[in-house]
Structures are given as C-alpha cells and as structure tokens.
Amino acid sequence: MSVPGRIVNDMFVQKLSSAEGQEKIAEFGGTFIRDRLREVAFSTKIVPPEQVTRADCQVSTMHDTLVKIVQLEPKSRAMSITFRGEPTARFIRAPRMEAAFFTISSEKFQKTEQELLAYDMPITKVIEENSVKDIQEVRDLTWLIHVEAACQAMQYEANGNAYVALSASQIQGAGVVEFSVRKGELARAAGTDDATVRPIQRPDLVNLYKMLDGRRLQAERILITEPDWDDILQWTVEDFGDRLQSETTVDGYKYNTLLGRAFVRTIKTDILRPGNIYCFTKPEFFGRFFILNNTKFYIDKVANLITFQAWEDIASCVANVASVKKLELYSGNANPNTGDQSLISNFIPVEEDALGALNNRVDQGIRFPVISQF
C-alpha cells in the first residue's frame, strides 16, 4: 500500500529534528542516488564505472586535484630472423596518462518546513527528479565532449592539416590518410550542405563498423538518439526480411543487437544531437570511468529551513582515441571552429544551465482548461 506524499513529508520533517534522523536520511539519500546514477547515465553503459578510494589515487603535480594514473600496454612486435640473426632490441616503456577528478553537484535545494508540508508530492521524489537526473546529465555531457574530441583528433589530410567530417567531393580529392568521422549515404548525396538530418541507412551502420574493424579493433556498441533510432523502423523488407519486418511493424525492434552489435539509445537530444551516432570498442580498448568514494548526500535543518544537496567526484578519460568512430547523418561541416556556423547546432550540446526539456508552461499561465476567479 502506497503512503500519501503529504504523510511522507511530515515524517521527513520529524526525522530532521534529531541528529540521528538527519544521518539516516542522508545515508538513504546517498544510497538511492548511487543506484539511480548508474542506471540512467548512458556514458556508464558504454564504459562501466569503477569505484576507487583515496588510496588508489595520486596528487597531481599540475593542480590541486587528485588524479588516477591510467597505464596503457606497451608496443611490441615479432620478427622473422635467420638462425644466426638477433632480434631488434626494444627498451620497454608503457605510456600512461592522468585522469583528473572533478565534482558534479546538484543545486542546493532549500525549502521551509511549513511550505514542505503543503506539498502532496513526497520529498524523495524531489530528490530523484531534481538531484539524480541533473547530476547524470552533466556526467553524460562532459563525457560526450571527450568522445567528440577523440574523434576530431584522428582527422587528418595527407599534408597533416586537421579537418573534420568531409563532404563527398572533399573525400575524393583530399587524399585521406586517416579519418574517424563518416557521412551517411543520404548526407553525402545531398546537393547542398545544410542542417537537415537524414534517415540512417543500413549500409551507414555497416560502414561505421568497418571503420573500427579495419584497425585491428572490433566495433562493440553504438550510441544513438531515439529520433535516429525511429528512422530504423522505416527500413523495408529488403533490410529486415519478411519475418523481422512483420515483427517490427507490430512490436517495434525488440532485440538487443543491431547487425550484430549492441546499442544504447538515449532521449537526451540536447546532449547527443540527432544525426550523430558513435561506435565504440570494448571498454578495455577505449577508456576508463572512475567514481571517487561514494556519491555524497547532505541534508540539514536550521530553524525551519531545510537544505539538501547531492554531489559526486568522478574522472573519465579516452585513452585510445582510435577506439571511437562517428557517423554524421547531415551534410556539411559541423566543426565549431572552422565549419559552417549554421550547422554548429548539429553537434554542440547545450550549456549546463540549459540541460533538460521544458515541456509544461504552467508558470506562463498556459494550461487547459484555464479557470479565472474574480
């Protein structure tokens, strides 16, 4: 039997009246946040988080922050030699990098005891919606910026100058040595470079997989937005076959893999813009994700003012920049530095303070039916 939110709020206020009650509520809040964060963030579905403590970290020599040293395997090779030959000598050296920790915090929520009791919605729901979801959105935002930077770092022309996703004419004449961003078939065939996101085709995914499979790596998982995923439902019987086409028409696509690779879908189109699809290797070939200690939750009551806040300390890094490839379903260059400024919105996520969708307009008086009292 569910407990009404008003009763939950009343019990919540009573618990805050003692130090023991505050400690128990903070402990419950921390546990709840830790579980939900790992469930909803798409970044941790690509790279599972690792729990670390202060003993596992080092102090950076460059700034006042803890870091986690990530080591990469050393380079090696074999060679054929004659019976009297000697192999080439190599002094072993494994590269390493620092993953710096930073804090993601919710806002510091405040509410008076009297106003809290006026709500039918329980305070735990407020904690879930306003703390947990906000923290995991910023986690995904910062991680995706690192992923995009890794893709752009692998873009080179024959003369070594950097560029971003090329159009069809540029690809034919540039003498490409290395690239990590590929245009979709319909985007390459477009007559103009515009911001229109075109439906994904089956060969687009196959060619995206081949960008990793051809580098002694293996494509393992793709990250895609729900709008781009919806376009897959438009694939015809030539793409799906008779049996799968009939299933998809009734139940949608209900399998865990697509063309042999797992996928992660997200509705956070303000972070991952539609038209951008990423393909990753297994986590051990890609990067690391660390959480320092546990997610923290603070709550206090001074007089009749209740304050609560949640935060976590994390570090993420892309150690192998060749382990992620990108598919763009729009024509043109969306690079924020050198590309067409009208296309920037196809890649750049929104600012942190603008994350989340604004759907209801009750504060602006837009609701139906509208009843006025005089």
PDB file of all heavy atoms in Angstrom, residues 33-68:
ATOM      1  N   ILE A  33      20.786   7.624  -4.593  1.00  0.00           N
ATOM      2  CA  ILE A  33      21.390   8.348  -5.702  1.00  0.00           C
ATOM      3  C   ILE A  33      22.430   7.479  -6.408  1.00  0.00           C
ATOM      4  O   ILE A  33      22.487   7.427  -7.621  1.00  0.00           O
ATOM      5  CB  ILE A  33      22.017   9.665  -5.200  1.00  0.00           C
ATOM      6  CG1 ILE A  33      20.917  10.651  -4.838  1.00  0.00           C
ATOM      7  CG2 ILE A  33      22.934  10.270  -6.247  1.00  0.00           C
ATOM      8  CD1 ILE A  33      21.428  11.904  -4.190  1.00  0.00           C
ATOM      9  N   ARG A  34      23.215   6.752  -5.653  1.00  0.00           N
ATOM     10  CA  ARG A  34      24.268   5.946  -6.262  1.00  0.00           C
ATOM     11  C   ARG A  34      23.684   4.898  -7.212  1.00  0.00           C
ATOM     12  O   ARG A  34      24.182   4.680  -8.299  1.00  0.00           O
ATOM     13  CB  ARG A  34      25.084   5.272  -5.171  1.00  0.00           C
ATOM     14  CG  ARG A  34      26.286   4.520  -5.695  1.00  0.00           C
ATOM     15  CD  ARG A  34      27.237   4.150  -4.588  1.00  0.00           C
ATOM     16  NE  ARG A  34      26.616   3.282  -3.609  1.00  0.00           N
ATOM     17  CZ  ARG A  34      26.307   3.640  -2.364  1.00  0.00           C
ATOM     18  NH1 ARG A  34      26.547   4.878  -1.953  1.00  0.00           N
ATOM     19  NH2 ARG A  34      25.762   2.785  -1.531  1.00  0.00           N
ATOM     20  N   ASP A  35      22.603   4.251  -6.803  1.00  0.00           N
ATOM     21  CA  ASP A  35      21.994   3.237  -7.656  1.00  0.00           C
ATOM     22  C   ASP A  35      21.373   3.858  -8.904  1.00  0.00           C
ATOM     23  O   ASP A  35      21.530   3.341 -10.007  1.00  0.00           O
ATOM     24  CB  ASP A  35      20.911   2.472  -6.870  1.00  0.00           C
ATOM     25  CG  ASP A  35      21.509   1.595  -5.789  1.00  0.00           C
ATOM     26  OD1 ASP A  35      22.709   1.289  -5.886  1.00  0.00           O
ATOM     27  OD2 ASP A  35      20.791   1.236  -4.846  1.00  0.00           O
ATOM     28  N   ARG A  36      20.656   4.915  -8.757  1.00  0.00           N
ATOM     29  CA  ARG A  36      19.965   5.517  -9.892  1.00  0.00           C
ATOM     30  C   ARG A  36      20.935   6.116 -10.902  1.00  0.00           C
ATOM     31  O   ARG A  36      20.710   6.064 -12.090  1.00  0.00           O
ATOM     32  CB  ARG A  36      18.990   6.606  -9.403  1.00  0.00           C
ATOM     33  CG  ARG A  36      17.809   6.090  -8.638  1.00  0.00           C
ATOM     34  CD  ARG A  36      16.872   5.350  -9.535  1.00  0.00           C
ATOM     35  NE  ARG A  36      16.272   6.252 -10.511  1.00  0.00           N
ATOM     36  CZ  ARG A  36      15.650   5.856 -11.598  1.00  0.00           C
ATOM     37  NH1 ARG A  36      15.574   4.570 -11.864  1.00  0.00           N
ATOM     38  NH2 ARG A  36      15.118   6.725 -12.429  1.00  0.00           N
ATOM     39  N   LEU A  37      22.045   6.680 -10.423  1.00  0.00           N
ATOM     40  CA  LEU A  37      23.002   7.292 -11.341  1.00  0.00           C
ATOM     41  C   LEU A  37      23.541   6.268 -12.329  1.00  0.00           C
ATOM     42  O   LEU A  37      23.646   6.518 -13.509  1.00  0.00           O
ATOM     43  CB  LEU A  37      24.155   7.912 -10.556  1.00  0.00           C
ATOM     44  CG  LEU A  37      23.941   9.323 -10.026  1.00  0.00           C
ATOM     45  CD1 LEU A  37      25.085   9.713  -9.123  1.00  0.00           C
ATOM     46  CD2 LEU A  37      23.812  10.299 -11.169  1.00  0.00           C
ATOM     47  N   ARG A  38      23.874   5.113 -11.870  1.00  0.00           N
ATOM     48  CA  ARG A  38      24.472   4.107 -12.741  1.00  0.00           C
ATOM     49  C   ARG A  38      23.433   3.490 -13.669  1.00  0.00           C
ATOM     50  O   ARG A  38      23.785   2.879 -14.655  1.00  0.00           O
ATOM     51  CB  ARG A  38      25.132   3.029 -11.893  1.00  0.00           C
ATOM     52  CG  ARG A  38      26.301   3.579 -11.097  1.00  0.00           C
ATOM     53  CD  ARG A  38      27.011   2.515 -10.305  1.00  0.00           C
ATOM     54  NE  ARG A  38      28.061   3.107  -9.494  1.00  0.00           N
ATOM     55  CZ  ARG A  38      28.844   2.415  -8.711  1.00  0.00           C
ATOM     56  NH1 ARG A  38      28.678   1.119  -8.606  1.00  0.00           N
ATOM     57  NH2 ARG A  38      29.771   3.007  -8.009  1.00  0.00           N
ATOM     58  N   GLU A  39      22.193   3.636 -13.314  1.00  0.00           N
ATOM     59  CA  GLU A  39      21.144   3.055 -14.144  1.00  0.00           C
ATOM     60  C   GLU A  39      20.797   3.948 -15.325  1.00  0.00           C
ATOM     61  O   GLU A  39      20.555   3.455 -16.426  1.00  0.00           O
ATOM     62  CB  GLU A  39      19.895   2.826 -13.295  1.00  0.00           C
ATOM     63  CG  GLU A  39      18.722   2.246 -14.071  1.00  0.00           C
ATOM     64  CD  GLU A  39      17.485   2.119 -13.234  1.00  0.00           C
ATOM     65  OE1 GLU A  39      17.570   2.371 -12.014  1.00  0.00           O
ATOM     66  OE2 GLU A  39      16.429   1.787 -13.784  1.00  0.00           O
ATOM     67  N   VAL A  40      20.786   5.253 -15.131  1.00  0.00           N
ATOM     68  CA  VAL A  40      20.233   6.136 -16.145  1.00  0.00           C
ATOM     69  C   VAL A  40      21.278   6.799 -17.041  1.00  0.00           C
ATOM     70  O   VAL A  40      20.939   7.291 -18.105  1.00  0.00           O
ATOM     71  CB  VAL A  40      19.364   7.236 -15.481  1.00  0.00           C
ATOM     72  CG1 VAL A  40      18.197   6.608 -14.762  1.00  0.00           C
ATOM     73  CG2 VAL A  40      20.178   8.082 -14.531  1.00  0.00           C
ATOM     74  N   ALA A  41      22.526   6.879 -16.653  1.00  0.00           N
ATOM     75  CA  ALA A  41      23.535   7.567 -17.467  1.00  0.00           C
ATOM     76  C   ALA A  41      23.962   6.678 -18.632  1.00  0.00           C
ATOM     77  O   ALA A  41      24.365   5.541 -18.430  1.00  0.00           O
ATOM     78  CB  ALA A  41      24.741   7.935 -16.610  1.00  0.00           C
ATOM     79  N   PHE A  42      23.892   7.193 -19.864  1.00  0.00           N
ATOM     80  CA  PHE A  42      24.303   6.369 -20.997  1.00  0.00           C
ATOM     81  C   PHE A  42      25.813   6.217 -21.064  1.00  0.00           C
ATOM     82  O   PHE A  42      26.323   5.247 -21.618  1.00  0.00           O
ATOM     83  CB  PHE A  42      23.731   6.903 -22.316  1.00  0.00           C
ATOM     84  CG  PHE A  42      24.201   8.272 -22.744  1.00  0.00           C
ATOM     85  CD1 PHE A  42      25.493   8.485 -23.196  1.00  0.00           C
ATOM     86  CD2 PHE A  42      23.330   9.353 -22.737  1.00  0.00           C
ATOM     87  CE1 PHE A  42      25.919   9.732 -23.608  1.00  0.00           C
ATOM     88  CE2 PHE A  42      23.738  10.602 -23.157  1.00  0.00           C
ATOM     89  CZ  PHE A  42      25.043  10.796 -23.589  1.00  0.00           C
ATOM     90  N   SER A  43      26.561   7.157 -20.498  1.00  0.00           N
ATOM     91  CA  SER A  43      28.027   7.055 -20.546  1.00  0.00           C
ATOM     92  C   SER A  43      28.526   5.829 -19.794  1.00  0.00           C
ATOM     93  O   SER A  43      29.483   5.186 -20.223  1.00  0.00           O
ATOM     94  CB  SER A  43      28.650   8.325 -19.951  1.00  0.00           C
ATOM     95  OG  SER A  43      28.159   8.566 -18.649  1.00  0.00           O
ATOM     96  N   THR A  44      27.871   5.490 -18.685  1.00  0.00           N
ATOM     97  CA  THR A  44      28.323   4.336 -17.908  1.00  0.00           C
ATOM     98  C   THR A  44      27.822   3.021 -18.493  1.00  0.00           C
ATOM     99  O   THR A  44      28.217   1.956 -18.028  1.00  0.00           O
ATOM    100  CB  THR A  44      27.858   4.458 -16.443  1.00  0.00           C
ATOM    101  OG1 THR A  44      26.454   4.753 -16.402  1.00  0.00           O
ATOM    102  CG2 THR A  44      28.609   5.568 -15.743  1.00  0.00           C
ATOM    103  N   LYS A  45      26.949   3.081 -19.501  1.00  0.00           N
ATOM    104  CA  LYS A  45      26.581   1.871 -20.231  1.00  0.00           C
ATOM    105  C   LYS A  45      27.620   1.561 -21.301  1.00  0.00           C
ATOM    106  O   LYS A  45      27.713   0.428 -21.767  1.00  0.00           O
ATOM    107  CB  LYS A  45      25.208   2.036 -20.873  1.00  0.00           C
ATOM    108  CG  LYS A  45      24.080   2.178 -19.870  1.00  0.00           C
ATOM    109  CD  LYS A  45      22.746   2.387 -20.566  1.00  0.00           C
ATOM    110  CE  LYS A  45      21.625   2.596 -19.556  1.00  0.00           C
ATOM    111  NZ  LYS A  45      20.318   2.838 -20.221  1.00  0.00           N
ATOM    112  N   ILE A  46      28.387   2.571 -21.687  1.00  0.00           N
ATOM    113  CA  ILE A  46      29.480   2.371 -22.641  1.00  0.00           C
ATOM    114  C   ILE A  46      30.760   1.985 -21.906  1.00  0.00           C
ATOM    115  O   ILE A  46      31.454   1.043 -22.280  1.00  0.00           O
ATOM    116  CB  ILE A  46      29.715   3.640 -23.476  1.00  0.00           C
ATOM    117  CG1 ILE A  46      28.420   4.107 -24.162  1.00  0.00           C
ATOM    118  CG2 ILE A  46      30.823   3.407 -24.500  1.00  0.00           C
ATOM    119  CD1 ILE A  46      27.882   3.161 -25.186  1.00  0.00           C
ATOM    120  N   VAL A  47      31.079   2.729 -20.846  1.00  0.00           N
ATOM    121  CA  VAL A  47      32.259   2.453 -20.021  1.00  0.00           C
ATOM    122  C   VAL A  47      31.793   2.278 -18.575  1.00  0.00           C
ATOM    123  O   VAL A  47      31.481   3.264 -17.905  1.00  0.00           O
ATOM    124  CB  VAL A  47      33.286   3.603 -20.104  1.00  0.00           C
ATOM    125  CG1 VAL A  47      34.530   3.255 -19.292  1.00  0.00           C
ATOM    126  CG2 VAL A  47      33.658   3.894 -21.545  1.00  0.00           C
ATOM    127  N   PRO A  48      31.703   1.059 -18.077  1.00  0.00           N
ATOM    128  CA  PRO A  48      31.230   0.834 -16.705  1.00  0.00           C
ATOM    129  C   PRO A  48      32.113   1.557 -15.692  1.00  0.00           C
ATOM    130  O   PRO A  48      33.338   1.558 -15.812  1.00  0.00           O
ATOM    131  CB  PRO A  48      31.324  -0.685 -16.536  1.00  0.00           C
ATOM    132  CG  PRO A  48      31.282  -1.221 -17.930  1.00  0.00           C
ATOM    133  CD  PRO A  48      31.969  -0.199 -18.780  1.00  0.00           C
ATOM    134  N   PRO A  49      31.524   2.208 -14.685  1.00  0.00           N
ATOM    135  CA  PRO A  49      32.316   2.947 -13.703  1.00  0.00           C
ATOM    136  C   PRO A  49      33.055   2.016 -12.743  1.00  0.00           C
ATOM    137  O   PRO A  49      32.595   0.914 -12.450  1.00  0.00           O
ATOM    138  CB  PRO A  49      31.260   3.782 -12.961  1.00  0.00           C
ATOM    139  CG  PRO A  49      30.004   2.997 -13.101  1.00  0.00           C
ATOM    140  CD  PRO A  49      30.074   2.336 -14.450  1.00  0.00           C
ATOM    141  N   GLU A  50      34.188   2.489 -12.280  1.00  0.00           N
ATOM    142  CA  GLU A  50      34.974   1.770 -11.280  1.00  0.00           C
ATOM    143  C   GLU A  50      35.015   2.590  -9.995  1.00  0.00           C
ATOM    144  O   GLU A  50      35.296   3.784 -10.036  1.00  0.00           O
ATOM    145  CB  GLU A  50      36.402   1.532 -11.782  1.00  0.00           C
ATOM    146  CG  GLU A  50      36.479   0.763 -13.091  1.00  0.00           C
ATOM    147  CD  GLU A  50      37.909   0.651 -13.600  1.00  0.00           C
ATOM    148  OE1 GLU A  50      38.794   0.317 -12.782  1.00  0.00           O
ATOM    149  OE2 GLU A  50      38.148   0.935 -14.783  1.00  0.00           O
ATOM    150  N   GLN A  51      34.753   1.944  -8.880  1.00  0.00           N
ATOM    151  CA  GLN A  51      34.785   2.623  -7.585  1.00  0.00           C
ATOM    152  C   GLN A  51      36.231   2.664  -7.079  1.00  0.00           C
ATOM    153  O   GLN A  51      36.904   1.635  -7.028  1.00  0.00           O
ATOM    154  CB  GLN A  51      33.907   1.879  -6.577  1.00  0.00           C
ATOM    155  CG  GLN A  51      33.377   2.737  -5.455  1.00  0.00           C
ATOM    156  CD  GLN A  51      32.154   3.527  -5.881  1.00  0.00           C
ATOM    157  OE1 GLN A  51      31.420   3.118  -6.765  1.00  0.00           O
ATOM    158  NE2 GLN A  51      31.947   4.659  -5.243  1.00  0.00           N
ATOM    159  N   VAL A  52      36.732   3.841  -6.748  1.00  0.00           N
ATOM    160  CA  VAL A  52      38.088   3.988  -6.222  1.00  0.00           C
ATOM    161  C   VAL A  52      38.038   4.794  -4.932  1.00  0.00           C
ATOM    162  O   VAL A  52      37.061   5.502  -4.654  1.00  0.00           O
ATOM    163  CB  VAL A  52      39.029   4.676  -7.241  1.00  0.00           C
ATOM    164  CG1 VAL A  52      39.184   3.829  -8.489  1.00  0.00           C
ATOM    165  CG2 VAL A  52      38.520   6.066  -7.592  1.00  0.00           C
ATOM    166  N   THR A  53      39.096   4.692  -4.138  1.00  0.00           N
ATOM    167  CA  THR A  53      39.238   5.453  -2.898  1.00  0.00           C
ATOM    168  C   THR A  53      40.474   6.340  -2.977  1.00  0.00           C
ATOM    169  O   THR A  53      41.218   6.305  -3.968  1.00  0.00           O
ATOM    170  CB  THR A  53      39.350   4.512  -1.693  1.00  0.00           C
ATOM    171  OG1 THR A  53      40.564   3.734  -1.808  1.00  0.00           O
ATOM    172  CG2 THR A  53      38.157   3.552  -1.631  1.00  0.00           C
ATOM    173  N   ARG A  54      40.699   7.103  -1.935  1.00  0.00           N
ATOM    174  CA  ARG A  54      41.876   7.984  -1.898  1.00  0.00           C
ATOM    175  C   ARG A  54      43.164   7.190  -2.045  1.00  0.00           C
ATOM    176  O   ARG A  54      44.126   7.663  -2.662  1.00  0.00           O
ATOM    177  CB  ARG A  54      41.869   8.766  -0.578  1.00  0.00           C
ATOM    178  CG  ARG A  54      43.143   9.554  -0.295  1.00  0.00           C
ATOM    179  CD  ARG A  54      43.358  10.642  -1.336  1.00  0.00           C
ATOM    180  NE  ARG A  54      44.578  11.379  -1.130  1.00  0.00           N
ATOM    181  CZ  ARG A  54      45.766  11.025  -1.609  1.00  0.00           C
ATOM    182  NH1 ARG A  54      45.891   9.897  -2.320  1.00  0.00           N
ATOM    183  NH2 ARG A  54      46.832  11.767  -1.397  1.00  0.00           N
ATOM    184  N   ALA A  55      43.204   5.973  -1.525  1.00  0.00           N
ATOM    185  CA  ALA A  55      44.415   5.155  -1.596  1.00  0.00           C
ATOM    186  C   ALA A  55      44.756   4.752  -3.023  1.00  0.00           C
ATOM    187  O   ALA A  55      45.906   4.440  -3.321  1.00  0.00           O
ATOM    188  CB  ALA A  55      44.250   3.910  -0.720  1.00  0.00           C
ATOM    189  N   ASP A  56      43.773   4.760  -3.913  1.00  0.00           N
ATOM    190  CA  ASP A  56      44.008   4.384  -5.310  1.00  0.00           C
ATOM    191  C   ASP A  56      44.454   5.561  -6.170  1.00  0.00           C
ATOM    192  O   ASP A  56      44.796   5.365  -7.337  1.00  0.00           O
ATOM    193  CB  ASP A  56      42.732   3.797  -5.918  1.00  0.00           C
ATOM    194  CG  ASP A  56      42.225   2.590  -5.155  1.00  0.00           C
ATOM    195  OD1 ASP A  56      43.046   1.714  -4.842  1.00  0.00           O
ATOM    196  OD2 ASP A  56      41.009   2.525  -4.876  1.00  0.00           O
ATOM    197  N   CYS A  57      44.444   6.772  -5.621  1.00  0.00           N
ATOM    198  CA  CYS A  57      44.688   7.978  -6.410  1.00  0.00           C
ATOM    199  C   CYS A  57      46.032   8.607  -6.061  1.00  0.00           C
ATOM    200  O   CYS A  57      46.665   8.257  -5.065  1.00  0.00           O
ATOM    201  CB  CYS A  57      43.563   8.997  -6.192  1.00  0.00           C
ATOM    202  SG  CYS A  57      41.924   8.357  -6.585  1.00  0.00           S
ATOM    203  N   GLN A  58      46.439   9.542  -6.892  1.00  0.00           N
ATOM    204  CA  GLN A  58      47.668  10.287  -6.683  1.00  0.00           C
ATOM    205  C   GLN A  58      47.359  11.786  -6.710  1.00  0.00           C
ATOM    206  O   GLN A  58      46.317  12.208  -7.207  1.00  0.00           O
ATOM    207  CB  GLN A  58      48.699   9.951  -7.779  1.00  0.00           C
ATOM    208  CG  GLN A  58      49.184   8.510  -7.781  1.00  0.00           C
ATOM    209  CD  GLN A  58      48.181   7.543  -8.374  1.00  0.00           C
ATOM    210  OE1 GLN A  58      47.446   7.897  -9.279  1.00  0.00           O
ATOM    211  NE2 GLN A  58      48.152   6.324  -7.854  1.00  0.00           N
ATOM    212  N   VAL A  59      48.299  12.577  -6.201  1.00  0.00           N
ATOM    213  CA  VAL A  59      48.163  14.033  -6.220  1.00  0.00           C
ATOM    214  C   VAL A  59      48.851  14.558  -7.476  1.00  0.00           C
ATOM    215  O   VAL A  59      49.995  14.223  -7.757  1.00  0.00           O
ATOM    216  CB  VAL A  59      48.790  14.664  -4.970  1.00  0.00           C
ATOM    217  CG1 VAL A  59      48.669  16.184  -5.028  1.00  0.00           C
ATOM    218  CG2 VAL A  59      48.120  14.129  -3.709  1.00  0.00           C
ATOM    219  N   SER A  60      48.143  15.374  -8.234  1.00  0.00           N
ATOM    220  CA  SER A  60      48.704  15.917  -9.456  1.00  0.00           C
ATOM    221  C   SER A  60      49.784  16.946  -9.142  1.00  0.00           C
ATOM    222  O   SER A  60      49.688  17.695  -8.172  1.00  0.00           O
ATOM    223  CB  SER A  60      47.599  16.571 -10.294  1.00  0.00           C
ATOM    224  OG  SER A  60      48.147  17.208 -11.423  1.00  0.00           O
ATOM    225  N   THR A  61      50.800  16.980  -9.994  1.00  0.00           N
ATOM    226  CA  THR A  61      51.849  17.996  -9.851  1.00  0.00           C
ATOM    227  C   THR A  61      51.484  19.290 -10.563  1.00  0.00           C
ATOM    228  O   THR A  61      52.180  20.290 -10.436  1.00  0.00           O
ATOM    229  CB  THR A  61      53.174  17.466 -10.430  1.00  0.00           C
ATOM    230  OG1 THR A  61      52.983  17.148 -11.816  1.00  0.00           O
ATOM    231  CG2 THR A  61      53.621  16.217  -9.683  1.00  0.00           C
ATOM    232  N   MET A  62      50.376  19.285 -11.320  1.00  0.00           N
ATOM    233  CA  MET A  62      49.988  20.437 -12.109  1.00  0.00           C
ATOM    234  C   MET A  62      48.890  21.274 -11.465  1.00  0.00           C
ATOM    235  O   MET A  62      48.712  22.440 -11.797  1.00  0.00           O
ATOM    236  CB  MET A  62      49.527  19.988 -13.504  1.00  0.00           C
ATOM    237  CG  MET A  62      50.536  19.118 -14.235  1.00  0.00           C
ATOM    238  SD  MET A  62      52.086  19.983 -14.581  1.00  0.00           S
ATOM    239  CE  MET A  62      51.508  21.217 -15.736  1.00  0.00           C
ATOM    240  N   HIS A  63      48.112  20.678 -10.560  1.00  0.00           N
ATOM    241  CA  HIS A  63      46.991  21.393  -9.963  1.00  0.00           C
ATOM    242  C   HIS A  63      46.640  20.751  -8.624  1.00  0.00           C
ATOM    243  O   HIS A  63      47.168  19.694  -8.258  1.00  0.00           O
ATOM    244  CB  HIS A  63      45.775  21.385 -10.905  1.00  0.00           C
ATOM    245  CG  HIS A  63      45.465  20.027 -11.478  1.00  0.00           C
ATOM    246  ND1 HIS A  63      44.838  19.041 -10.770  1.00  0.00           N
ATOM    247  CD2 HIS A  63      45.733  19.508 -12.701  1.00  0.00           C
ATOM    248  CE1 HIS A  63      44.707  17.961 -11.512  1.00  0.00           C
ATOM    249  NE2 HIS A  63      45.253  18.214 -12.699  1.00  0.00           N
ATOM    250  N   ASP A  64      45.744  21.362  -7.915  1.00  0.00           N
ATOM    251  CA  ASP A  64      45.339  20.910  -6.583  1.00  0.00           C
ATOM    252  C   ASP A  64      44.199  19.902  -6.679  1.00  0.00           C
ATOM    253  O   ASP A  64      43.122  20.108  -6.108  1.00  0.00           O
ATOM    254  CB  ASP A  64      44.896  22.109  -5.743  1.00  0.00           C
ATOM    255  CG  ASP A  64      45.841  22.337  -4.571  1.00  0.00           C
ATOM    256  OD1 ASP A  64      46.818  21.599  -4.471  1.00  0.00           O
ATOM    257  OD2 ASP A  64      45.582  23.246  -3.767  1.00  0.00           O
ATOM    258  N   THR A  65      44.404  18.821  -7.384  1.00  0.00           N
ATOM    259  CA  THR A  65      43.349  17.841  -7.597  1.00  0.00           C
ATOM    260  C   THR A  65      43.942  16.441  -7.586  1.00  0.00           C
ATOM    261  O   THR A  65      45.076  16.234  -8.009  1.00  0.00           O
ATOM    262  CB  THR A  65      42.647  18.079  -8.953  1.00  0.00           C
ATOM    263  OG1 THR A  65      42.222  19.431  -9.033  1.00  0.00           O
ATOM    264  CG2 THR A  65      41.441  17.171  -9.112  1.00  0.00           C
ATOM    265  N   LEU A  66      43.143  15.488  -7.116  1.00  0.00           N
ATOM    266  CA  LEU A  66      43.546  14.096  -7.190  1.00  0.00           C
ATOM    267  C   LEU A  66      43.415  13.597  -8.620  1.00  0.00           C
ATOM    268  O   LEU A  66      42.542  14.030  -9.373  1.00  0.00           O
ATOM    269  CB  LEU A  66      42.680  13.236  -6.276  1.00  0.00           C
ATOM    270  CG  LEU A  66      42.857  13.423  -4.763  1.00  0.00           C
ATOM    271  CD1 LEU A  66      41.859  12.560  -4.017  1.00  0.00           C
ATOM    272  CD2 LEU A  66      44.278  13.069  -4.343  1.00  0.00           C
ATOM    273  N   VAL A  67      44.274  12.677  -9.003  1.00  0.00           N
ATOM    274  CA  VAL A  67      44.220  12.062 -10.321  1.00  0.00           C
ATOM    275  C   VAL A  67      44.371  10.556 -10.156  1.00  0.00           C
ATOM    276  O   VAL A  67      44.883  10.074  -9.142  1.00  0.00           O
ATOM    277  CB  VAL A  67      45.323  12.601 -11.265  1.00  0.00           C
ATOM    278  CG1 VAL A  67      45.165  14.091 -11.498  1.00  0.00           C
ATOM    279  CG2 VAL A  67      46.708  12.280 -10.722  1.00  0.00           C
ATOM    280  N   LYS A  68      43.934   9.840 -11.168  1.00  0.00           N
ATOM    281  CA  LYS A  68      44.135   8.391 -11.231  1.00  0.00           C
ATOM    282  C   LYS A  68      45.006   8.116 -12.443  1.00  0.00           C
ATOM    283  O   LYS A  68      44.684   8.520 -13.562  1.00  0.00           O
ATOM    284  CB  LYS A  68      42.801   7.660 -11.366  1.00  0.00           C
ATOM    285  CG  LYS A  68      42.910   6.140 -11.403  1.00  0.00           C
ATOM    286  CD  LYS A  68      43.210   5.594 -10.019  1.00  0.00           C
ATOM    287  CE  LYS A  68      43.102   4.066 -10.009  1.00  0.00           C
ATOM    288  NZ  LYS A  68      44.155   3.384 -10.789  1.00  0.00           N
TER     289      LYS A  68
END
